[in-house]
Each structure stands twice: as C-alpha cells, then as structure tokens.
Amino acid sequence: MIRKVVLILFLAGSPLMAALSQQTPGERGEIRDTEFIIRKDRVLTLPKQPRVFERTPSLPPVSSRENYSYSVQNFFVDLDPVKLDIQPFTKAFPREEAEQFSTFGKLGFGNYSSPLLQLRIHSLPDPDMNYGIDISHQGFYEGPVDGKNSAEDHSKVDLTGSLFRDNVEFFGKLGFHRDMYHFYGYTPIPAIEIVPEDIRQVFNTFRATAGLRKIERTESFDFDAALGLRLFADRYEASENEASIKAHAGFRANESLHGGIHSRLYFTSPSDITYSDINRNYFKLNPYIAFQQEGFKIRIGANVVQENDIVPNKNMDFHIFPEAFISYHFVPGFGIYGAYEGDVIRNTYYDFVMENPFLGPSAQLRNTIQNYQVDAGVTGAINGELTYKAGFKYGDFTNMHFYGNNVQDSTRFQLIYDDVTTVLQYHVNVGYNFDENYKLDASANYYQYTLSELAAPWHRPEWEINITNTFTPTKKWLINADFRAMGGIAAVNLASGTRDTLKPILDLNLGVDYSIHPQFSVFAAGNNLMNQRYERYWNYRVRGAQIIGGISFKF
C-alpha cells in the first residue's frame, strides 16, 4: 500500500516541478492552489513463481564384492653410474724443509789429558732401509792418583741397520766396546813405584743382535722378537758369554683394553778364578692384561721364572709372582696409584762390573729374589707443564748384593750378599717443561735397610738427589746443568776389618753449545765444577774439576 502512495505522489509531483521550473524569478515564493489526486484503486500485479517443498532424495551407497589390485612397474634403464672425480682444492703453502745431514762429528780436548772423538755416519731417510756407524773415544790419561796409574778411557764401534718390508722391520746391530781402568785405590808411597801395566784392567765386550718387529705398533696385533749374543772378558781371568732370545706378542681389543706376553730366555756361561764351567740359565714369562678409561688404569699379570742358580738359601728353581698396578686420577692434576710385584732380578758378572768397575774375583754370582715390593703414592700433571710423583716403596729381597773391599787385595772389591733384606724407600720425582726453552727433571730418594746378616748396606747410599736442567734460550744456544748428590754410604774393608762412612758426594756439571754456523758449533763442558775429591767407592778418589772444549760439525 505504501509503495502505491509513493508512486502516486511521484507521478503527481512531476507536473508541479515542471511548472515551478517555468516560473519567472519574480513569481517565486507565491502560494497557488493545487489539486492532488490520490488513486487507491490501482493494483500492482506480479507473476507467480513455483515453490518446491519436497527434499532431494539421497542416493543409495555403492557396494561391490570385487577386489581391485594395481601393479606398479619400474622402468629403469640399466646404465653405469656416473663417476665424478671430485678433489678438494689444496693451496700450496711454502714449507721450510730442514736440511738433512748424514755425518755428525765432535772433537775436543781438556785437562787430565782428555781427548774426545765422536763420529756418526748414518744414511739419509729411505723408505726401504737405513744403516749407520757410530765411533767414539774418550780418554782421561792423567788421573787423581799418580797420574797415569789412575787413567781410564772408553772406546766403542757400533754398526746398525734396518730393512723395511710391508709392515715389518728387520734390524740388526754389531758392536765392540773397550773400557780401560786402573786399580788405583792404594795409598801412594814414594819409595815404592807402581807400574800402570801391573794394575790395569780392560773390559772387552762384543755384541750382536738381530730381530724383527712390527712397524705399526698401534694395530690390534703387535709383535717383536730378537736374538742376542754377548761375549765379555777382562784382562785377567774373568769372562762371560751369553746368548739370549727375547719376544713379545700383544693385542689391542680397543682403546681401553690391551694385553700380551713378554718372554726372556738367557744362556749364560761365566768363568773366573773361583768358578768355571757354570751354566746359568734364566727363563721368564710375563703375561699381562691392562684396562684404562677416564683416569682409571689397572694392569694385572704374573712373573713366571725358571732359573738354576745353586745357592745355600734357595728353596726352588721355579717361581711364580703376581704383579698388579692400579691408579685413578680424580682430576688431571691429582691422582693416586698402587703397585705390587714379585720377581727374580737377574744379575750377571757384566752387570756388576758396569756398576763397579773395580770389582775383583768373587766367590759366586747370584740372582736377587724380589719376594714382593709395594709401591704407593700420588701423581699428577698440572697445566701440561708440571708433573710430579711422590710415594714410598717397601720390599722384601733375598740375596741382595753389596760391595766390600776384597779380603786379599783391598784395592779391589768383592760381592757380599745378605740373606733377607727389607728396604723402605721414599721417593719424589718432579718434571717441568716451559715451551721449548726450559726443561727440568728432578728426583730425590731416601732408603732404610733392614739386614739379616750384614751390619750395614755396604756401598749403597742412604739418600740421593738428581737434578737435570736444559735451557734453550735461542736456536743457537743449548745449555745443560746437572747436579748430583749422594750421602750416607757405609764402607767396609774386609782385609783389615775397618769401617767408615764416606763423605757426601756433591757433583755439579755444566755444558754449553753454541752454533756459529748451520753446520758448525763450539762447545764447552765442565764436570765436578765444585772440585770435590769425593769417593763413590772407598779409596777411589774421583778427578777434580775438569773442563773440556771443542768443535762439532755435521755434513
């Protein structure tokens, strides 16, 4: 209805608007009579549209009993893979290669008429072989007592060679050593002349070794073996020949677990005034297994020894001793360790005279039975520069050897054995490295002996200190400084029955080497710079301060 009214008003108003638009400006604003006609009988008719009220029916679900299978076929062409030769880019940096020399020599001379000669000739590095010869001689032809009567010299010639095949090295060595001394442990009497020839002692030693070993020692299996021969004789009636076989086989399961077995076999034939036609045989097996992980280490093994020495206090020839070692580092700078070991320490006449060159005839040669020895203490490394180890050892030994002046000739020494000996040892070791300029190695030991038959540990020190310093201030300078101290040495003269305690030993040594050319350098060495006339063995004074200088070369 409203739409009708609006439409009628619109149609009726159209002529009015047209009339108003035609009026003159002066006629605007007048009110005139107007008639409006409103028609109510007009009807607006719209066409009818159909309307659907029914819902669209849903279709029934599709069902089927058939199985559908699909086959997928691979259509690959049989072609060879593309090979790409890819290499990383490498930049050639300049590398300074050190010049290699095959010959090294040293010539020098010092007081006490002491010439020095060293010559080493070795092949340059070769992947298939190497070989070389070492020759040296040092003499002291004037000594602390009666000049030439206390002279000594040392000479040696060694030939070495190796042949490398795959992962195995075949090696060999031939050597001859000559050491000359004099029995000058007497009190000089002006009226009596002693000829050097009458008291001279000379040791001649020939050695030969041949063997093989694996080059890569870090693989899962490792081995080495060697045959040895040693012929030894002095200027008198002592001699000793020895043949040896040494072998080792080891395995490495991983970085933490490894083990193996060491074996040693010796056939020794010594001869002297008091004994001859003796065969001293020694066979030793040392199986072991070791484990380490995160600061923890442990090693367990055994020393199985068969030896045939005939001594009064011996119970058996066959020995089995356990060995064990364990350590744990709480931090790299501090750890604790402990060890236990029993063994048979093999002693030969050659070993004795290398320790005391003034040894004369002795009644018998004996091995030392280490019934047990306990070692415990602390150890660590600080900042990769300072290392230390401190602890104690306590052991029980049978037939430990000592020295006394000989009953028949007090200028010579003889072996003395103690039946049962216990030794308590306190030890400290310190090492320090500062870059490549300084290195220090120092050790101190204190010993307490409990003896069953002897009154004192003859000619063994009660305490000892060793300090070694190495300075390299520049590439041209090399300085070595050593200090050795030893004291509390009790001595006995079996000929007279007298006893004494030797004065402490204080020995300072210094060596300096300066390179004046890449192939030439000069050196100077001083021994016993404190000029101490000490005695390591009773009645045998050492040389005083000694200086030797010379030149060394290489080409």
Side-chain angles (χ1 to χ4, degrees):
M1 185 64 184
I2 294 175
R3 291 180 180 180
K4 293 180 179 180
V5 174
V6 172
L7 182 58
I8 293 172
L9 291 175
F10 177 76
L11 295 176
S14 295
L16 177 62
M17 296 298 295
L20 291 176
S21 64
Q22 293 177 358
Q23 291 179 358
T24 60
E27 296 178 349
R28 294 184 62 182
E30 289 188 27
I31 301 175
R32 299 177 67 184
D33 295 335
T34 302
E35 181 179 356
F36 293 93
I37 299 174
I38 299 174
R39 296 180 62 181
K40 297 182 180 181
D41 57 347
R42 189 172 181 176
V43 178
L44 297 178
T45 304
L46 297 177
K48 293 182 180 181
Q49 294 295 335
R51 185 176 182 181
V52 179
F53 294 95
E54 295 181 0
R55 295 181 179 181
T56 305
S58 60
L59 298 176
V62 179
S63 62
S64 176
R65 296 181 180 179
E66 297 182 2
N67 295 325
Y68 296 92
S69 61
Y70 303 91
S71 61
V72 180
Q73 297 181 0
N74 297 325
F75 297 93
F76 290 104
V77 181
D78 189 9
L79 298 177
D80 294 333
V82 179
K83 296 182 179 179
L84 300 177
D85 186 10
I86 301 176
Q87 296 181 355
F89 174 75
T90 57
K91 183 178 180 180
F93 292 94
R95 182 179 180 181
E96 181 181 357
E97 295 185 0
E99 189 175 0
Q100 297 178 345
F101 302 95
S102 61
T103 303
F104 171 82
K106 180 179 281 190
L107 296 172
F109 192 84
N111 59 334
Y112 290 100
S113 299
S114 53
L116 172 64
L117 167 66
Q118 291 182 1
L119 181 63
R120 302 174 186 172
I121 303 175
H122 288 263
S123 62
L124 294 176
D126 188 289
D128 296 326
M129 67 177 66
N130 64 46
Y131 53 87
I133 178 172
D134 292 354
I135 302 173
S136 69
H137 173 79
Q138 185 171 19
F140 306 91
Y141 294 107
E142 295 289 336
V145 177
D146 286 347
K148 296 182 179 180
N149 285 8
S150 54
E152 67 176 272
D153 66 29
H154 309 276
S155 305
K156 71 174 185 177
V157 178
D158 289 326
L159 301 173
T160 59
S162 294
L163 186 65
F164 305 100
R165 289 293 180 269
D166 296 332
N167 196 24
V168 178
E169 176 190 359
F170 300 90
F171 62 90
K173 183 177 182 179
L174 291 175
F176 176 76
H177 294 197
R178 180 185 182 275
D179 302 284
M180 185 267 289
Y181 299 91
H182 288 84
F183 293 106
Y184 64 92
Y186 58 86
T187 302
I189 301 176
I192 301 177
E193 181 182 0
I194 299 178
V195 181
E197 185 71 16
D198 296 338
I199 58 174
R200 182 171 299 160
Q201 173 66 291
V202 178
F203 300 137
N204 295 310
T205 307
F206 172 79
R207 288 180 177 273
T209 304
L212 73 164
R213 56 188 166 223
K214 200 169 183 181
I215 298 176
E216 184 57 53
R217 311 306 297 266
T218 59
E219 294 182 352
S220 58
F221 178 71
D222 181 30
F223 66 88
D224 61 79
L227 302 176
L229 177 66
R230 175 173 57 80
L231 307 178
F232 171 82
D234 70 0
R235 190 170 177 265
Y236 298 91
E237 299 186 32
S239 65
E240 187 176 65
N241 300 328
E242 178 182 277
S244 63
I245 302 174
K246 301 178 182 180
H248 168 253
F251 75 91
R252 183 176 298 275
N254 48 52
E255 294 182 356
S256 301
L257 180 64
H258 70 278
I261 182 170
H262 293 276
S263 63
R264 301 286 186 270
L265 177 60
Y266 298 92
F267 302 96
T268 310
S269 299
S271 178
D272 205 342
I273 296 176
T274 57
Y275 52 83
S276 61
D277 299 329
I278 296 177
N279 293 319
R280 301 183 68 219
N281 302 328
Y282 180 96
F283 177 65
K284 178 180 178 179
L285 289 176
N286 173 224
Y288 67 93
I289 187 169
F291 177 81
Q292 63 180 22
Q293 189 174 18
E294 296 180 356
F296 176 76
K297 293 182 180 180
I298 185 171
R299 173 185 167 122
I300 300 175
N303 291 318
V304 183
V305 180
Q306 171 72 32
E307 47 91 21
N308 64 344
D309 277 356
I310 301 176
V311 295
N313 58 351
K314 186 177 180 181
N315 297 324
M316 62 183 68
D317 292 341
F318 183 73
H319 310 270
I320 300 179
F321 298 102
E323 69 164 359
F325 173 84
I326 186 170
S327 68
Y328 182 72
H329 280 76
F330 301 93
V331 292
F334 179 77
I336 58 175
Y337 74 92
Y340 179 94
E341 183 179 14
D343 200 358
V344 177
I345 302 173
R346 182 172 172 268
N347 299 320
T348 65
Y349 184 76
Y350 177 82
D351 298 328
F352 290 135
V353 296
M354 291 296 105
E355 182 180 38
N356 183 355
F358 309 109
L359 183 65
S362 298
Q364 193 177 25
L365 303 176
R366 301 182 185 181
N367 295 323
T368 300
I369 309 298
Q370 179 181 303
N371 299 305
Y372 66 87
Q373 185 177 58
V374 179
D375 184 9
V378 296
T379 182
I382 301 175
N383 296 330
E385 296 179 350
L386 176 66
T387 61
Y388 68 90
K389 183 178 180 180
F392 73 92
K393 294 181 180 180
Y394 182 81
D396 182 90
F397 302 87
T398 301
N399 293 329
M400 177 173 282
H401 72 276
F402 304 88
Y403 296 105
N405 294 74
N406 196 285
V407 174
Q408 299 178 354
D409 183 359
S410 61
T411 63
R412 306 184 185 191
F413 290 85
Q414 71 180 59
L415 291 166
I416 309 173
Y417 298 97
D418 188 57
D419 187 13
V420 179
T421 307
T422 58
V423 182
L424 175 61
Q425 174 188 354
Y426 302 95
H427 58 88
V428 177
N429 299 82
V430 177
Y432 179 74
N433 285 282
F434 181 75
D435 293 335
E436 298 180 355
N437 303 110
Y438 177 69
K439 181 179 180 181
L440 166 69
D441 290 309
S443 64
N445 295 276
Y446 181 79
Y447 307 91
Q448 290 182 345
Y449 294 88
T450 302
L451 307 167
S452 60
E453 297 179 348
L454 303 181
W458 308 120
H459 282 96
R460 286 183 179 263
E462 183 181 11
W463 57 269
E464 58 181 345
I465 299 174
N466 293 282
I467 303 175
T468 301
N469 299 272
T470 302
F471 305 89
T472 311
T474 65
K475 293 183 178 181
K476 292 187 175 183
W477 286 95
L478 176 61
I479 304 173
N480 295 309
D482 303 329
F483 177 75
R484 183 168 65 98
M486 187 181 298
I489 302 175
V492 60
N493 189 326
L494 300 177
S496 61
T498 57
R499 304 175 181 179
D500 197 4
T501 299
L502 306 183
K503 294 181 179 180
I505 297 173
L506 302 175
D507 194 350
L508 177 63
N509 305 310
L510 179 65
V512 180
D513 193 301
Y514 178 72
S515 176
I516 58 178
H517 185 271
Q519 294 179 245
F520 296 94
S521 62
V522 294
F523 72 91
N527 299 320
N528 192 14
L529 295 179
M530 300 178 68
N531 199 29
Q532 299 288 309
R533 299 298 181 96
Y534 59 82
E535 300 175 0
R536 175 60 182 89
Y537 296 102
W538 202 7
N539 297 329
Y540 280 88
R541 289 184 295 157
V542 300
R543 293 179 295 273
Q546 181 195 4
I547 306 296
I548 185 171
I551 186 171
S552 60
F553 57 89
K554 52 188 175 181
F555 54 85

